[in-house]
């Protein structure tokens, strides 16, 4: 039995016997183990590929970690499974992670995805090691979720499952509800919006995606604003458009993080 699994089981047993929860949270640190990924500014083809694919070690049981581990990790669902089995009262936190240096685009793209994965997986607290340098690309990875318009507007707090046909090329994360404003821990008043973060992992060619919104109530048609960053552009507005019939078509740039802020048409 892995040590962490055993530890959680013992916390659960003590709680069952004595009604006392010895710890409140199970905290893990996670760093990609492939060469030249964590903390590294290496952005050659192999290092960049490993960096952008290795985020899957956080959640994907079909992904074999390309390092000395050489097996699936899927650390967040695995620890959540142990918590659910032995002691559901516990929360899961990740107080250390790092997927690349501050001033490379793939590092910023990877960090934006890691933040999204932590949200979708229900991690109660996440903290990158270390805080991004002021003015660095890594700041964009936080701002695209917390201050995408430069006016303190963040994505809604409720997550929505959004999938793509090839997670090697593009991954997608959905956030639904009223926007969250800077300094607030809850949704603000206002109309519901759907924010979809698209993570572009291709190196040279853009990838076309079709997002099916027919099952999302009220979003069969609407308009959207685009914010994002890529290899040649820091975080900023990138236009707007409309869609209909429940299908939104978009072209995702290589090495990019793109946020579609969607408002439904009444």
């Amino acid at each position: 039995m892995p040590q962490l699994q055993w530890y959680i089981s013992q916390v659960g047993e003590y709680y069952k016997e004595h009604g006392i929860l010895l710890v409140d949270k199970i905290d893990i640190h996670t760093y990609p183990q492939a060469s030249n990924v964590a903390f590294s500014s290496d952005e050659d083809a192999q290092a960049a590929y490993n960096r952008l694919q290795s985020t899957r070690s956080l959640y994907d049981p079909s992904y074999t970690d390309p390092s000395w581990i050489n097996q699936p990790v899927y650390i967040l669902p695995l620890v959540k499974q142990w918590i659910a089995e032995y002691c559901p009262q516990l929360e899961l936190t990740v107080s250390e992670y790092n997927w690349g240096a501050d001033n490379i685009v793939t590092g910023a793209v990877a960090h934006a995805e890691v933040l999204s994965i932590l949200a979708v997986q229900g991690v109660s607290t996440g903290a990158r090691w270390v805080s991004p340098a002021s003015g660095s690309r890594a700041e964009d990875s936080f701002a695209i979720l917390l201050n995408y318009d430069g006016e303190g507007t963040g994505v809604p707090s409720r997550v929505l499952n959004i999938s793509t046909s090839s997670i090697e090329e593009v991954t997608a994360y959905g956030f639904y509800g009223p926007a969250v404003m800077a300094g607030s821990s809850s949704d603000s008043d206002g109309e519901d919006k759907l924010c979809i973060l698209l993570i572009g992992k291709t190196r040279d060619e853009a990838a076309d995606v079709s997002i099916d919104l027919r099952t999302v109530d009220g979003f069969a048609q609407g308009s959207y604003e685009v914010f994002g960053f890529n290899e040649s552009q820091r975080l900023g507005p990138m236009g707007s458009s409309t869609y209909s019939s429940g299908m939104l078509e978009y072209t995702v740039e290589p090495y990019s993080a793109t946020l579609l802020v969607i408002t439904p048409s009444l």
Side-chain angles (χ1 to χ4, degrees):
M1 179 182 286
Q3 184 182 34
L4 183 58
Q5 181 183 6
W6 174 86
Y7 180 80
I8 294 171
S9 73
Q10 297 306 295
V11 172
E13 284 298 319
Y14 194 90
Y15 180 76
K16 289 177 183 177
E17 292 179 12
H18 303 282
I20 298 172
L21 195 60
L22 295 174
V23 298
D24 298 302
K25 305 173 188 289
I26 294 298
D27 179 68
I28 62 173
H29 299 172
T30 180
Y31 294 90
Q33 296 298 296
S35 299
N36 301 324
V37 175
F39 302 105
S40 171
S41 59
D42 190 346
E43 212 167 32
D44 66 24
Q46 190 60 55
Y49 178 82
N50 285 341
R51 176 174 293 112
L52 295 177
Q53 296 302 318
S54 63
T55 55
R56 293 165 60 186
S57 66
L58 293 171
Y59 69 91
D60 185 0
S62 70
Y63 177 71
T64 298
D65 194 90
S67 69
W68 59 270
I69 298 175
N70 196 34
Q71 65 182 35
V73 179
Y74 61 103
I75 186 66
L76 299 180
L78 186 60
V79 177
K80 285 169 58 181
Q81 176 185 321
W82 295 338
I83 289 173
E85 180 177 356
Y86 300 113
C87 194
Q89 294 78 14
L90 295 172
E91 294 182 8
L92 173 60
T93 70
V94 180
S95 68
E96 283 190 28
Y97 65 87
N98 188 289
W99 251 262
D102 283 2
N103 279 310
I104 58 174
V105 65
T106 58
V109 172
H111 282 119
E113 179 168 34
V114 170
L115 281 170
S116 302
I117 293 169
L118 297 182
V120 168
Q121 289 290 324
V123 173
S124 65
T125 305
R128 177 183 180 265
W129 185 272
V130 292
S131 59
S134 179
S136 67
R137 278 187 168 272
E139 280 194 326
D140 290 347
S141 64
F142 288 83
I144 198 169
L145 295 174
L146 302 175
N147 183 23
Y148 59 78
D149 60 359
E151 298 180 3
T153 310
V155 301
S157 61
R158 284 174 278 170
V159 297
L160 185 69
N161 288 328
I162 301 287
S163 61
T164 62
S165 59
S166 175
I167 59 175
E168 286 195 22
E169 295 184 346
V170 179
T171 50
Y173 302 89
F175 304 90
Y176 174 76
V180 173
M181 303 305 295
S184 173
S185 59
S186 60
D187 292 339
S188 64
D189 294 331
E191 62 182 352
D192 283 345
K193 291 187 176 181
L194 173 62
C195 293
I196 299 178
L197 181 66
L198 300 171
I199 300 295
K201 302 187 177 188
T202 55
R203 181 177 179 85
D204 300 309
E205 297 183 359
D208 294 328
V209 296
S210 296
I211 304 170
D212 187 349
L213 298 177
R214 289 173 296 182
T215 60
V216 184
D217 289 343
F219 284 85
Q221 59 185 11
S223 60
Y224 61 91
E225 296 179 273
V226 185
F227 301 86
F229 61 86
N230 52 43
E231 193 163 16
S232 61
Q233 178 179 326
R234 293 294 301 270
L235 176 61
M238 302 175 72
S240 61
S241 190
T242 61
Y243 70 97
S244 60
S245 302
M247 298 300 295
L248 193 159
E249 312 285 339
Y250 195 81
T251 299
V252 181
E253 295 296 319
Y255 291 172
S256 65
T258 306
L259 186 69
L260 309 181
V261 181
I262 305 170
T263 301
S265 296
L266 300 177

